[in-house]
Amino acid sequence: MSDAYATTALAHVNAIPPYPPGRPISAVAREFGLDPAKIVKLASNENPMGCSPKALEAIAQCAADTRFYPDFDNYSLREALAAANGVSFDQVLPGAGSSDLILQVSRGWLNAERHAIVPQYSFAAYESTAAAQGAQTIVVPAKGWDHDLVALAAAVTDATAVIFLATPNNPIGTAVAPADLEAFLAAVPAHVLVVLDEAYREFLPAAEQPDLKRLLAIRENLLVLRTFSKIHGLAALRVGYGIARPEILSILKRLQMPFAVSTAGQAAAEAALADTDFAQAYHDLNARERDRLQAAFASFGLDYVPSKANFILFEVGDGPAVAQALMRRGVITRPVANYGLKTWLRVSIGLPEENDVFLSNLGEVLAQRAA
Ligand SMILES: Cc1ncc(COP(=O)(O)O)c(C=O)c1O
């Protein structure tokens, strides 16, 4: 076999590059002989405050009885999601993270004859799940750090089945203005399913958040994705959801693994959704610390992309080398060379004390490299 990943699996599957996740604390502690308690992980855009205490209570209640499979219909969570978003019960579908729903879109919509379109600098799962279907992904160059919405719509052909678009966008941190998004959704031909990934929606100021009702009115062939992994701090439980016409969600549901969302995940998500004070507190902390980190990058003389999310992209020269030097010191950031951004790093915004540790180590690493 020619390369390290080749097996007797399908050739197009052998060719899929492995997903490079943020390194877990336990792995970094083992590799560098560090005390796990002193490691700061700012690599996967997780909530540094944890999750709502009400979600923790809900999880504890589930722990008392684990015999039964979860509610197949996710009844209680779906009712809560429908009410919170002003849509009907059959317009929402939970998944095992929004990643689950991205996967099912690729399985249901793409094959060797039907391709996906993504903007340059997109969440890696869009392309990898398309590749698993033997489908091509057409990458439309960004305009500066923003999506080129005109070029994305213009790239559509009869063979385009899906456009994946995230706003705010990971790993860049920029967001599409609501009016531009609406114009884009109106311009894309009706045969294309537009997947609008709003994993970081809640970090936008309210006035900059797209109006769901207007989006659904403008475009029928639309799937909006949300997650409990970011603002709600439930990444460990893997819960996300889609909002779309019932016909679209019915396809996704048929493709999902039965009982995809665990009982604890459903209960914790419902409790987290209700705790708007917790989400607001994290939103506010994130906004304050984002300003502080961006000001610090400026004072170091580093370029950064002003962020609308809970992470910041900043330029350090040799991204993988600086990430490695920080990791040796117990600070885990995310290299983005796999996006073609070798000179940049992405850092998730942590608690004030975590950001202090990150900044002081970054200053020392940069000084050492300059010496
Ligand atoms: C843009 C984007 N979409 C989706 C996801 C996946 O989130 P989930 O944990 O819901 O699978 C992420 C996670 O980092 C993301 O950045």
Side-chain angles (χ1 to χ4, degrees):
M1 275 172 215
S2 56
D3 73 61
Y5 299 110
T7 65
T8 53
L10 300 168
H12 70 268
V13 174
N14 267 324
I16 299 171
Y19 180 71
R23 300 282 313 277
I25 288 176
S26 54
V28 171
R30 263 195 315 275
E31 185 175 336
F32 297 102
L34 300 170
D35 174 359
K38 297 216 172 103
I39 293 179
V40 171
K41 181 177 184 238
L42 301 172
S44 301
N45 306 338
E46 294 142 336
N47 184 332
M49 294 171 63
C51 70
S52 155
K54 292 177 182 143
L56 287 180
E57 263 170 50
I59 295 165
Q61 276 175 20
C62 294
D65 191 351
T66 59
R67 273 175 307 170
F68 298 119
Y69 281 101
D71 174 4
F72 183 83
D73 287 324
N74 310 291
Y75 190 86
S76 189
L77 174 58
R78 274 170 78 196
E79 280 215 316
L81 289 171
N85 287 290
V87 295
S88 65
F89 180 80
D90 57 3
Q91 284 178 292
V92 293
L93 176 69
S98 48
S99 301
D100 174 21
L101 300 169
I102 292 167
L103 171 64
Q104 309 318 341
V105 165
S106 288
R107 292 177 69 212
W109 270 255
L110 301 175
N111 66 15
E113 280 80 50
R114 295 160 51 111
H115 63 246
I117 295 178
V118 301
Q120 187 183 10
Y121 313 130
S122 282
F123 182 50
Y126 309 151
E127 193 162 347
S128 65
T129 58
Q133 295 305 117
Q136 207 197 339
T137 298
I138 293 171
V139 180
V140 172
K143 215 163 94 185
W145 291 116
D146 293 317
H147 297 319
D148 188 340
L149 297 176
V150 172
L152 280 161
V156 169
T157 70
D158 289 349
T160 307
V162 179
I163 297 179
F164 291 103
L165 185 92
T167 179
N169 188 29
N170 176 20
I172 308 297
T174 49
V176 177
D180 295 342
L181 182 64
E182 291 178 14
F184 167 76
L185 293 180
V188 175
H191 69 277
V192 178
L193 174 67
V194 176
V195 178
L196 180 68
D197 184 341
E198 294 195 302
Y200 302 96
R201 169 191 178 88
E202 297 87 350
F203 298 103
L204 290 166
E208 294 175 34
Q209 294 181 359
D211 179 336
L212 176 69
K213 284 232 169 95
R214 286 173 61 101
L215 305 188
L216 292 171
I218 287 169
R219 185 170 190 85
E220 288 203 341
N221 209 356
L222 173 69
L223 171 66
V224 176
L225 295 181
R226 305 270 179 82
T227 183
F228 282 92
S229 303
K230 308 299 176 186
I231 195 93
H232 296 297
L234 292 174
L237 293 187
R238 311 302 298 119
V239 192
Y241 63 104
I243 306 171
R245 286 165 59 210
E247 294 84 348
I248 295 173
L249 299 182
S250 155
I251 301 283
L252 297 174
K253 179 80 177 170
R254 279 175 263 168
L255 290 167
Q256 275 181 316
M257 181 175 77
F259 311 108
V261 187
S262 69
T263 303
Q266 293 183 43
E270 188 178 341
L273 190 67
D275 195 347
T276 49
D277 288 347
F278 177 84
Q280 186 66 45
Y282 173 33
H283 170 279
D284 295 350
L285 171 92
N286 182 70
R288 278 196 304 276
E289 288 298 301
R290 188 170 54 198
D291 285 349
R292 188 165 78 91
L293 285 176
Q294 292 182 166
F297 292 144
S299 74
F300 285 142
L302 301 179
D303 262 356
Y304 65 90
V305 181
S307 171
K308 300 278 189 185
N310 66 341
F311 55 84
I312 307 169
L313 190 70
F314 63 106
E315 192 166 34
V316 290
D318 183 339
V322 172
Q324 187 71 10
L326 285 169
M327 194 144 59
R328 281 182 187 287
R329 294 160 162 264
V331 179
I332 314 175
T333 56
R334 189 69 162 264
V336 280
N338 57 316
Y339 292 94
L341 297 167
K342 287 203 185 72
T343 61
W344 298 77
L345 275 186
R346 191 193 71 189
V347 66
S348 305
I349 299 163
L351 296 173
E353 53 274 26
E354 293 175 323
N355 297 332
D356 287 343
V357 171
F358 160 66
L359 285 174
S360 64
N361 279 285
L362 177 66
E364 287 170 21
V365 165
L366 293 176
Q368 273 172 5
R369 291 179 62 79

